[in-house]
Amino acid sequence: MFRTALRNVLAHKARLMMTVLAVMLGVAFVSGTLVFTNTISDAYRNSSAKGFDHVDVAVRPDHQESKGNTVGKTPELTEALLAESAKVPGAASATGVVGGFTAIADKDGDLIGKGWQSEGGNYSGAEDPRYPLVDGHAPSGKDEVLLDAKTAERGGYRVGDTVRISVDGPVLKPTVTGIFTTDDGNVAAGGSLALFDTATAQRLFGKSGTYDEIDVRAEAGVSQAALKAALDKALPGDLVETTTGRQLADDQAERISSEMGSFRQMLLVFAGIALFVGTFIIANTFTMLVAQRTRELALLRAVGASRRQITRSVLIEAFVVGAVAGVAGLVAGIGIGAGLRSLMGSLDATAPDGPLVISPGTVVTALAVGVVITMLAAWLPGRRAAKIAPVAAMSSLHAPATTKSLVLRNTLGALFAGAGVAVVLAATAMDGSDGQAPMGLGAVLLIIGVFVLTPLLSRPLIAAASPVLRIFGVSGKLARQNSVRNPRRTATTASALMIGLTLITGMTVMAGSLQQAIDKMASSALRADYVVSMANGNGLSPDIDGKLRELDGVTATSPLRNAPSRIDGETEYLTGVDGSSIADLTELPMDSGTFEVGGTRVVVDDDTAAAHGWRTGSSFTAHYEDGKAERLTVAGVYVGNEMISGIMLDNGTLTPHLTDPTDMQVMVKTAAGASEATKDALEKALGANPAIKVQDKKDLSTEIAQMFTLILNMVYGLLAMAVIVAVLGVINTLAMSVFERSQEIGMLRAIGLDRKGIKRMVRLESLVISLFGGVLGIGLGVFFGWAAGELLASRMATYELVLPWARMGVFLLLAATVGVLAALWPARRAARLNMLAAIKSQ
């Protein structure tokens, strides 16, 4: 039986090759994902370890939890602590570290880096071992700066050039005195790093005479643990905490691995989808292969082979196919991993250099996935073939499915589909995250139910295409009959395409609805024409609001100033605003009361009010960060959203309690309204600062939706793999259908149907099957998109369903294109059959 199985593998090379290709694509996706994420994780891990080569122990402020009604304040690392750290027994040296956001403009004035990854720091002394210089010398004074080599290359800067830099205030124009190399992970990921001398860095980052961290090097022969113990003994434990360089590297490596883990999981989900679709194709292929060899298997049964041996022979074939596909998929996956690694560089999403990582786990996973998936898909056809009685198989009486089996299949399908719809509908009535798990379960049940019911659904849906097919005469009529002749095979083929289009359509519906909701939110919540903020999300200098107020044409401004407080023993953030102008800059629906902000009168969003049990007229005590307390009164409760929420009070009340007031953003209203000329005037008034963003309502909504747009584009790219696998499925089905209908095609040729008619028949059959899968996929996608949107609507008042008719039309056209392309080879093969040889073939 083993030799028989191997001969069968070699006897059906063309058909099994497409099965191998289907499995290989799924395995390649899985192994490529593992290779890529392992490579990036390893590169960042090695880079982070190098970044801590010059740190044996790091001394940092002890961030204690806020207690009672006080707001905690971070202890400071002073010059005295730096000197004391350097004198600890076993310490060779101690370096004070200070840093913060630093925006660097290129020669066109555009921001280099990724905004939040644009960092600045201090270069200690004439030669800092942390940052080896490749050109120039150390900076000295406020007019000199060092740039990392990658930033200098991207900005086109050399030693001696003047560069535009912004930290927290006016634009600086220092001279580049040197270029250095670094293993900093932010720089490797596309960010930038600028270094000033220590005194300048402290002044620029608001750390006069203090540091963010003290890095201590150990003397030769002194371990990191021993140095840490000595520092713990010498330094005040209630102010600082110490961590070894090895622990810092391990913590960063673990954090990177965790971050890459979520990315890996997302990629593996789509790899699983590709494999899931591929499983249908494999099962379909083996079902048809077994059906075509029914007489051969019956003869084996007649000469003594048992049912178990028949099943085992089919599984041996599946094992060989799976093993070959696993090896090929692993090789292709390594290429995919390397290609993704190169693609990151071309998309400006750089990462540290490092070798391609092919772990033993990746190899084992690729081979296991290939073999297990293929054998699972082949088990049912093999078991079904073994049950056929030899006499029935030889007389071809086994083919029609029994009424009992069809009733059982349709009953199970209806139960699964009904349960899935019920669970999804129940989940839509739940609140936000509570409904996610039930909705996922309902979606799985519904997809399984529809898949089981697809043979039943295929007849009426394909029959609906009859009027169109009649246009093509005999070829159209035959194509319709062939499409419904074997509903199970048609359904399995269509399901592969259905799953991919379900996901694509569902994501597209959600993305379009979400974009409109965000646009509506921005236009309805804001009366301001512009919002000014920092590129990295940090605070703006209070001077910005003053500069904007003085501009001609500016009619109203209000800074939004966030500050922590303690209310009822919990931390709550207060938002300081200009009480006299905030009502002119926002348009927030009121639940109760009036939008009146001034003195001790505040307005509160509905969620915060509900959490504390407040209503209009309620009073509460706020404990500020300076330790003082004040009684505030709720003047009104407004409906908050993702853009504006929280407790708003007048800056005149809040600011006196802040030690370092900063504004998260400034709202601006102008007489001329939003226009390019107005925006240019505002940017120019702020010194064309690369660190500052001036955004109108459209810019704000685009920025908020950018993440969802990125995810949607990734979904389109990743699900392309599932569509490719679906194409292979249609080709497989048609090719095998042509093979088993060889005698019929020969008879059609003999009675006058020409080659062109045969080609048209096969192409129309493929088109009908693909459109059937496309209609099911788009229908399910719209349903899932609506259901997921109902969950979002519970948290986003402006959300409403938007059906992207144009894109859905494109998806249906895509399904039709899949059908046409998939039929090219089978149609050509059918037309070239020798009619006499075909008639004699069975």
Side-chain angles (χ1 to χ4, degrees), residues 112-136:
I112 298 176
K114 305 294 183 182
W116 60 272
Q117 293 176 330
S118 300
E119 296 292 327
N122 66 308
Y123 189 87
S124 182
E127 187 175 343
D128 192 331
R130 298 174 298 166
Y131 307 109
L133 288 173
V134 294
D135 192 13

Side-chain angles (χ1 to χ4, degrees), residues 22 63 88 98 134 149 229 333 352 376 441 475 485 516 571 598 649 699 777 815:
H63 298 275
V88 168
V98 63
V134 294
L376 284 176
L441 174 63
S475 296
R485 177 184 296 181
Q516 178 167 298
T571 299
L649 73 163
D699 295 332

